[in-house]
């Protein structure tokens, strides 16, 4: 089995085609040989019958001591005319009316068979295979009526022929046919090898093109002339290369953004440490500034890691069913101290919302939205967290009492590092939310809430498909 796996596609096709054909040819050879022997028997049995009739025509009747007996004056030399060539021999025996041997080879085995009900010849003759001593022979038994004055009787004439000539003819027919079939097999093998070689040219060109590619080149494979059976493999390879290209691009973008965004807080942190060493500020104030810088850098690093993890979420399709309401309820409890610090009037209304998503993704989405609402809402304002379900979708609405956003801000807030206020955030929170929602097949919107033309707050609305509805839509 291992040796078969190591064979090339051309050799596998050749084996798969030629081996069954060899088996068919072998079986056909056996059947053909038997048919050739049967045909030879049919042809040469006529000669045996003619020999038996010639012997029967020469039979005579004589009376000896008042008894009637059969007489045969045929000499064995007279049979030479019926022998086809020197490779075969004829033997005969004539049996009289009372079962006595009249002439011929007495050791020739007697006939104990029956005449066929409907033979191929208009004669009382039976043909069968037998042995004369240890030599296989073909036997013809003819019942020859004999009449004379005053009576009639039935003589039995047996003629046997050795099988050399018949077997030689059958072998000649078999060898001639096998030569032609072998030649045909060789032609088929050559045609298969040629066709497979031509069919594998696109594969060889693709392989050569891939080997000659520069490192990191993941452009799609051009294989317009590839056979139809090969196109699914080419398409799957192009899809894989596309995913690898996206993954590499995400990694490059992550490294680029990380190096760019972390450079500033690290430079500020370095300057603050140097200033503290020189004593430009009191130690307490210097440590407070350093702590704030470290906190912002830590938040930025955590958000960038979350953004990278969300990129992986798009390639996962085995998410479990999670109750979104429980995630939001737990987050509201965890962020209660921050809400109390800003003295917000919080109202929470949550309905059960089973969605197909990882819990960490729902937590990251909900935490960023709630944290933004708490941070941007003025102190003593209202904060409403609502999660409702309509049977197909679950809608999370977080309404704050902040100043809202302008149209220009709405267009770029979902882009990385595009914070509305660069002094209060890194600009990654809404980008993370946007990527999570897209990966989960939902929608997100930021809408100003107002009355009489005055903005009274901002509503962050997220809609995700419920797990049951998503499964019904995916079922064919």
């Amino acid at each position: 089995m291992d040796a078969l796996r190591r064979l090339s596609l051309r050799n596998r096709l050749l084996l798969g085609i030629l081996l069954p054909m060899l088996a068919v040819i072998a079986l056909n050879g056996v059947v053909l040989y038997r048919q050739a022997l049967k045909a030879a028997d049919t042809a040469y049995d006529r000669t045996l019958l003619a020999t038996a009739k010639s012997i029967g025509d020469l039979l005579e009747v004589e009376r000896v001591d008042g008894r009637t007996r059969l007489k045969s004056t045929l000499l064995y030399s007279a049979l030479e005319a019926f022998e086809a060539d020197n490779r075969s021999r004829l033997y005969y025996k004539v049996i009289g009316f009372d079962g006595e041997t009249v002439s011929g080879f007495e050791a020739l085995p007697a006939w104990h068979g029956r005449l066929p009900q409907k033979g191929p010849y208009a004669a009382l003759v039976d043909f069968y295979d037998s042995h004369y001593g240890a030599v296989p022979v073909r036997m013809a038994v003819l019942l020859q009526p004999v009449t004379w004055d005053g009576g009639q009787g039935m003589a039995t004439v047996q003629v046997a022929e050795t099988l050399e000539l018949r077997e030689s003819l059958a072998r000649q027919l078999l060898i001639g046919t096998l030569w032609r079939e072998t030649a045909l097999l060789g032609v088929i093998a050559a045609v298969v090898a040629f066709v497979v070689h031509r069919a594998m040219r696109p594969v060889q060109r693709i392989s050569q093109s891939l080997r000659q590619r520069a490192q990191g080149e993941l452009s799609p494979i051009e294989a317009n002339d590839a056979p139809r059976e090969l196109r699914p493999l080419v398409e799957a390879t192009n899809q894989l290369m596309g995913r690898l290209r996206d993954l590499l691009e995400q990694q490059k973008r992550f490294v680029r953004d990380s190096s760019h965004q972390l450079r500033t807080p690290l430079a500020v942190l370095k300057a603050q440490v140097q200033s503290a060493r020189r004593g430009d500020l009191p130690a307490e104030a210097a440590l407070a500034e350093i702590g704030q810088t470290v906190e912002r850098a830590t938040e930025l690093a955590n958000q960038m890691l979350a953004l990278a993890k969300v990129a992986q979420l798009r390639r996962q399709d085995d998410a479990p069913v999670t109750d979104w309401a429980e995630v939001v309820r737990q987050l509201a409890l965890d962020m209660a101290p921050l809400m109390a610090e800003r003295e917000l009037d919080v109202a929470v209304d949550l309905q059960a919302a089973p969605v197909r998503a990882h819990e960490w993704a729902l937590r990251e989405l909900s935490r960023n939205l709630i944290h933004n609402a708490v941070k941007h809402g003025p102190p003593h304002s209202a904060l409403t967290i609502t999660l409702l379900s309509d049977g197909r979708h679950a809608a999370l609405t977080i309404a704050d009492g902040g100043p809202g956003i302008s149209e220009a801000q709405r267009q770029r807030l979902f882009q990385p590092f595009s914070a509305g206020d660069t002094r209060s955030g890194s600009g990654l929170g809404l980008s993370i939310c946007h990527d999570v929602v897209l990966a989960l097949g939902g929608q997100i919107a930021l809408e100003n809430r107002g009355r009489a033309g005055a903005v009274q707050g901002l509503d962050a609305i997220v809609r995700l498909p419920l797990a049951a509805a998503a499964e019904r839509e995916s079922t064919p």
Side-chain angles (χ1 to χ4, degrees):
M1 186 62 68
D2 292 338
L4 182 60
R5 293 193 184 99
R6 290 193 294 268
L7 291 177
S8 64
L9 179 60
R10 174 165 44 189
N11 292 336
R12 290 188 184 186
L13 286 174
L14 286 174
L15 286 177
I17 294 175
L18 298 184
L19 287 181
M21 291 195 64
L22 284 173
V24 171
I25 289 176
L27 179 62
N28 182 56
V30 174
V31 175
L32 178 63
Y33 186 69
R34 292 180 178 177
Q35 291 178 345
L37 285 177
K38 186 176 180 181
D41 287 341
T42 302
Y44 288 104
D45 283 352
R46 184 181 298 272
T47 303
L48 280 181
L49 177 59
T51 304
K53 284 185 176 181
S54 298
I55 297 173
D57 292 340
L58 297 176
L59 294 179
E60 299 176 354
V61 176
E62 63 180 359
R63 296 185 64 85
V64 178
D65 297 332
R67 297 180 59 186
T68 302
R69 72 175 186 179
L70 192 66
K71 178 184 178 182
S72 175
T73 58
L74 178 70
L75 298 177
Y76 181 78
S77 59
L79 296 178
E80 294 179 355
F82 294 96
E83 292 179 348
D85 56 17
N86 295 328
R87 288 176 292 177
S88 63
R89 298 285 295 173
L90 284 175
Y91 306 96
Y92 80 99
K93 182 169 70 170
V94 178
I95 301 174
F97 304 136
D98 297 326
E100 75 279 10
T101 299
V102 176
S103 66
F105 296 81
E106 190 171 358
L108 200 65
W111 174 62
H112 299 289
R114 294 185 304 173
L115 293 175
Q117 294 181 357
K118 186 177 181 181
Y121 304 104
L124 301 176
V125 63
D126 183 25
F127 299 96
Y128 61 95
D129 294 325
S130 184
H131 285 81
Y132 179 46
V135 179
V137 294
R138 178 71 171 172
M139 187 82 73
V141 177
L142 174 66
L143 299 183
Q144 178 67 42
V146 179
T147 61
W148 63 92
D149 293 340
Q152 63 180 5
M154 186 71 71
T156 303
V157 179
Q158 294 182 239
V159 180
E161 183 184 21
T162 57
L163 304 180
E164 292 89 355
L165 186 60
R166 299 168 185 252
E167 293 177 347
S168 176
L169 177 61
R171 283 195 298 269
Q172 290 178 2
L173 293 175
L174 175 63
I175 292 174
T177 303
L178 289 180
W179 271 113
R180 291 190 293 272
E181 291 183 346
T182 303
L184 176 62
L185 193 64
V187 171
I188 292 175
V191 171
V192 170
F194 176 74
V195 171
V196 171
H197 178 72
R198 292 291 299 271
M200 293 300 292
R201 283 184 178 179
V203 179
Q204 295 172 355
R205 284 197 292 270
I206 292 173
S207 301
Q208 184 177 4
S209 174
L210 291 175
R211 284 194 296 267
Q212 293 175 351
R213 284 192 174 193
Q215 185 177 2
E217 183 182 354
L218 295 174
S219 58
I221 299 173
E222 296 293 340
N224 297 327
D225 60 340
R228 182 173 57 184
E229 293 79 7
L230 190 60
R231 289 177 184 174
L233 176 61
V234 174
E235 293 175 0
T237 303
N238 286 337
Q239 292 176 1
L240 175 61
M241 296 177 72
R243 292 194 295 268
L244 291 176
R245 186 170 57 251
D246 294 341
L247 180 60
L248 290 177
E249 185 61 30
Q250 291 173 2
Q251 291 179 345
K252 291 179 181 179
R253 184 168 60 249
F254 176 77
V255 173
R256 183 178 62 250
D257 293 343
S258 300
S259 61
H260 175 72
Q261 295 298 324
L262 291 176
R263 186 180 294 112
T264 299
L266 291 178
V268 172
L269 181 61
K270 181 178 179 180
Q272 289 174 340
V273 171
Q274 292 175 350
S275 176
R277 286 179 175 177
R278 291 195 303 267
D280 297 341
L281 292 175
E284 191 68 26
L287 287 176
E289 290 184 355
I290 291 174
Q292 293 176 357
T293 303
V294 170
E295 183 177 351
R296 287 196 298 270
T298 301
E299 181 182 1
L300 175 62
N302 289 334
Q303 287 188 325
M304 293 191 69
L305 291 175
L307 192 62
K309 191 174 183 180
V310 170
Q312 298 177 358
L313 180 64
R314 298 180 180 179
R315 296 185 293 273
Q316 298 177 353
D317 55 359
D318 56 347
V321 176
T322 305
D323 188 359
W324 195 6
E326 290 298 324
V327 175
V328 175
R329 182 177 293 107
Q330 186 60 44
L331 280 173
L333 293 176
D334 294 342
M335 301 180 71
L338 181 59
M339 300 174 184
E341 180 181 348
R342 297 185 63 84
E343 299 181 358
L344 299 178
D345 184 10
V346 181
V348 180
D349 183 13
L350 305 176
Q351 294 181 0
V355 296
R356 188 165 291 281
H358 292 278
E359 182 178 351
W360 67 265
L362 294 177
R363 287 184 60 85
E364 197 67 31
L365 168 65
S366 306
R367 189 190 67 80
N368 279 288
L369 292 177
I370 296 175
H371 185 268
N372 282 344
V374 173
K375 182 171 61 175
H376 294 289
H380 311 289
S381 62
L383 175 63
T384 304
I385 302 175
T386 306
L387 180 59
L388 302 177
S389 172
D390 61 2
R392 294 180 58 85
H393 295 85
L396 174 65
T397 303
I398 301 176
D400 62 31
I405 57 174
S406 64
E407 187 63 29
Q409 288 177 328
R410 181 181 289 107
Q411 296 297 329
R412 60 182 177 83
L413 275 179
F414 292 129
Q415 300 177 5
F417 310 108
S418 298
D421 184 359
T422 55
R423 297 170 300 176
S424 59
S426 62
L428 288 176
L430 289 178
S431 178
I432 294 172
C433 295
H434 182 261
D435 288 353
V436 170
V437 171
L438 290 183
L440 299 180
Q443 299 174 342
I444 183 171
L446 300 177
E447 299 178 359
N448 289 329
R449 186 180 67 259
R451 180 183 299 174
V455 177
Q456 294 182 336
L458 180 70
D459 290 348
I461 305 172
V462 177
R463 290 172 57 85
L464 296 180
L466 293 173
E471 291 175 357
R472 285 196 301 268
E473 293 178 357
S474 62
T475 301

